[in-house]
Amino acid sequence: MSGLLSWLTFIPIIGMVLIILVPRDKHQLIKIIAAVATGISLILSVVLFLQFDRTTSELQFVERAVWIGSYNINFFIGVDGLSITLIILTALLGFLCIFASWGINKAVKGYFALFLLLETGMLGVFVALDFFLFYVFWEVMLLPMYFLIGIWGGPRREYAAIKFFLYTLLGSVLMLLGILALYFYGGSHTFDMTVLMEQGGYARTFQMWVWAALFIGFAIKVPVFPFHTWLPDAHVEAPTAISVILAGVLLKMGGYGILRVCFSIFPEATRSYAIPLAILGIINIVYGALCAMAQKDVKKLVAYSSVSHMGYVLLGSAALSIAGLTGGVLQMFNHGTTTAMLFLLVGVIYDRAHHRDIDGFGGLATIMPVYAGIFSLAFFASLGLPGLSSFISEALVFLGTFPVYRWAAIIAAIGIVLTAGYILWTLQRMFLGKPNEKYLNLPDMTGRELFTLVPLGIIVIILGVYPKPILDLMQVTINHLAGIVQP
């Protein structure tokens, strides 16, 4: 299908333009346009899934056109097994989040227009193969997210938005310096990522410095300790759908950048930094779980659990083995679905009770049984219970890490115990015991809420017992990447 990636990426922008043309009081029409635009992107991502050739690591659906010829800047996009899973995840969450935002009544036109611009920025990052274009999409995402948190967020929204903006801007500056260093290195004057990967021959000192600069830029997004402090504030203050996008997609952009850029272009530096990367992964896993355990706000708990779970992505990647890298990439997808469920569920209870204090509930399983069941499914998937999706990805991370860094795998296993601890403790306090009399009349899930959660729940269960469809998508590309970075 000609131009498939362009249509998939820019349909939300077309939707944004249509929304701008609609009178601001036509709230229902604005929401329908946003749903249709994201729905078309989702359908095109399904077409991409069906037509993707799983037998090759070559780039597919490539589109190339000269953009700024005098500086060798091109509109160059394509997908491989590394990016396609994240494109599907982005399109799916983008569509579902429109329905999770259906209750937005403040400045509706601005909210949905910015949301569609944000979706194009995220999709663009995953399809871009020209480094300049990649950077443009990366920055396009920044402003909508700043305004979506700063205008539609909670009481401390401005503080959270500014903190998010400053952290991300710092990462962007370092990334830009790394991109310029690559552009001018050896007089190549190219932003073509495929050329930068193939030409090699970078001096070791150059590799080490540029790898570190690019890594910090991506690590802030992951977020890697100690660059994680923006995340809990942003999550707590952001509206529900934006929290879903933050955890479900934005964090993955960091992990994707590390693998696509740092690993692919600088394999020698990657091998040198592998042990520090594994150590950072362990810190994320254990520290994130400990912080989650200490939270009283369930949304903050989920935010810190994201810090912990993204540590598995780092640890699996640091192993440089096929199993480790496969586990890391699969973890990005699985974490995107499970954490999206959790943030949507937190939004459901907040809409009813107007607080998120874990100890303020109790006995919700008898008051809202459907809600309790879906919440338990999402929590146990996040825990990595066998039969649910995260188990497969975490198991692959440990399978890949244990032969290489046995000490790291053993320490990281502590994170599983801690995760089980805070998840079971939270379930016990919120859903079991005597019901809180204040909430005896809370309604259970609505049809719209179930519409946003059931598809994710089905994916979590299917991939937990049959992960082959998603593994087949990425495996050949991961094998190729492992061949590049292994000694």
Side-chain angles (χ1 to χ4, degrees):
M1 182 176 175
S2 177
L4 175 62
L5 289 186
S6 289
W7 283 110
L8 194 157
T9 306
F10 292 109
I11 280 286
I13 285 282
I14 296 173
M16 183 192 79
V17 173
L18 291 175
I19 285 175
I20 290 171
L21 296 175
V22 170
R24 67 177 59 189
D25 59 340
K26 301 288 185 185
H27 292 181
Q28 199 69 9
L29 179 59
I30 289 168
K31 293 172 183 176
I32 290 171
I33 291 172
V36 170
T38 53
I40 293 174
S41 277
L42 177 59
I43 291 169
L44 293 177
S45 74
V46 174
V47 174
L48 188 69
F49 172 79
L50 295 174
Q51 295 188 356
F52 186 78
D53 184 353
R54 289 141 174 85
T55 62
T56 176
S57 62
E58 297 295 319
L59 293 164
Q60 300 177 46
F61 303 94
V62 172
E63 297 172 39
R64 188 195 292 265
V66 175
W67 182 15
I68 309 174
S70 53
Y71 294 98
N72 207 11
I73 297 171
N74 299 303
F75 177 79
F76 179 26
I77 60 176
V79 293
D80 61 7
L82 186 59
S83 51
I84 186 170
T85 53
L86 298 173
I87 291 168
I88 294 168
L89 177 69
T90 305
L92 174 64
L93 293 186
F95 177 67
L96 295 178
C97 283
I98 291 297
F99 292 92
S101 305
W102 217 256
I104 293 285
N105 292 312
K106 171 185 174 185
V108 174
K109 185 172 178 174
Y111 178 89
F112 284 96
L114 286 170
F115 187 95
L116 293 178
L117 178 61
L118 175 66
E119 177 159 339
T120 287
M122 296 184 297
L123 288 168
V125 166
F126 295 130
V127 299
L129 295 171
D130 181 283
F131 225 151
F132 189 88
L133 184 64
F134 177 91
Y135 186 76
V136 168
F137 280 124
W138 189 278
E139 293 301 296
V140 162
M141 175 276 311
L142 178 59
L143 275 180
M145 184 55 79
Y146 169 77
F147 286 115
L148 285 166
I149 298 173
I151 296 175
W152 288 272
R156 297 177 70 240
R157 55 185 179 271
E158 292 173 4
Y159 167 77
I162 290 172
K163 193 172 182 179
F164 164 80
F165 190 92
L166 290 177
Y167 267 80
T168 306
L169 188 63
L170 170 65
S172 298
V173 170
L174 289 171
M175 191 194 308
L176 181 61
L177 292 175
I179 292 171
L180 291 175
L182 276 167
Y183 179 76
F184 288 108
Y185 186 83
S188 60
H189 290 182
T190 180
F191 291 106
D192 188 325
M193 287 185 179
T194 59
V195 172
L196 293 171
M197 292 171 198
E198 290 168 359
Q199 69 182 11
Y202 302 108
R204 179 174 170 75
T205 305
F206 176 83
Q207 283 199 45
M208 298 299 284
W209 279 105
V210 178
W211 193 101
L214 292 168
F215 174 78
I216 293 172
F218 297 130
I220 288 172
K221 268 291 191 302
V222 171
V224 178
F225 178 91
F227 307 113
H228 66 289
T229 60
W230 65 268
L231 182 106
D233 292 313
H235 272 305
V236 169
E237 299 304 324
T240 297
I242 304 308
S243 290
V244 171
I245 292 297
L246 265 172
V249 181
L250 257 70
L251 309 191
K252 314 305 177 294
M253 287 166 55
Y256 172 77
I258 291 170
L259 296 175
R260 170 68 74 201
V261 178
C262 295
F263 277 45
S264 300
I265 298 179
F266 301 120
E268 185 184 346
T270 298
R271 289 189 285 275
S272 300
Y273 281 119
I275 292 178
L277 195 59
I279 293 171
L280 288 173
I282 295 169
I283 294 172
N284 258 54
I285 292 169
V286 177
Y287 171 80
L290 286 170
C291 289
M293 188 173 281
Q295 300 309 313
K296 295 181 178 178
D297 181 328
V298 65
K299 197 173 187 184
K300 216 165 186 176
L301 179 149
V302 177
Y304 274 112
S305 78
S306 292
V307 175
S308 178
H309 287 116
M310 288 304 289
Y312 292 104
V313 177
L314 296 175
L315 184 59
S317 302
L320 308 183
S321 62
I322 291 174
L325 287 165
T326 304
V329 177
L330 187 59
Q331 174 71 357
M332 285 199 278
F333 184 88
N334 288 337
H335 176 260
T337 53
T338 54
T339 200
M341 288 184 74
L342 287 170
F343 277 115
L344 287 170
L345 287 159
V346 171
V348 168
I349 197 65
Y350 184 77
D351 285 345
R352 287 158 172 72
H354 305 296
H355 75 85
R356 299 181 298 256
D357 184 4
I358 296 170
D359 292 325
F361 298 105
L364 284 179
T366 56
I367 303 169
M368 303 170 66
V370 176
Y371 178 80
I374 298 177
F375 206 112
S376 301
L377 172 67
F379 247 169
F380 284 124
S382 180
L383 166 62
L385 196 72
L388 300 174
S389 58
S390 294
F391 170 74
I392 305 292
S393 47
E394 290 181 14
L396 285 173
V397 166
F398 281 105
L399 279 173
T401 307
F402 196 77
V404 187
Y405 307 120
R406 189 165 299 176
W407 51 271
I410 292 170
I411 298 172
I414 297 171
I416 296 177
V417 179
L418 295 173
T419 303
Y422 70 73
I423 280 179
L424 294 174
W425 193 28
T426 303
L427 285 174
Q428 181 258 319
R429 285 182 289 171
M430 288 185 67
F431 296 99
L432 304 180
K434 186 180 177 183
N436 187 331
E437 292 186 359
K438 284 170 59 181
Y439 304 123
L440 289 177
N441 296 320
L442 283 185
D444 210 335
M445 306 283 287
T446 65
R448 179 174 60 80
E449 290 163 349
L450 286 172
F451 178 76
T452 61
L453 283 157
V454 170
L456 297 171
I458 291 172
I459 291 172
V460 163
I461 294 170
I462 290 177
L463 293 184
V465 294
Y466 189 65
K468 190 173 184 297
I470 199 86
L471 287 175
D472 282 351
L473 275 181
M474 66 177 71
Q475 202 58 66
V476 177
T477 303
I478 296 296
N479 293 350
H480 179 70
L481 179 61
I484 293 174
V485 296
Q486 283 177 353

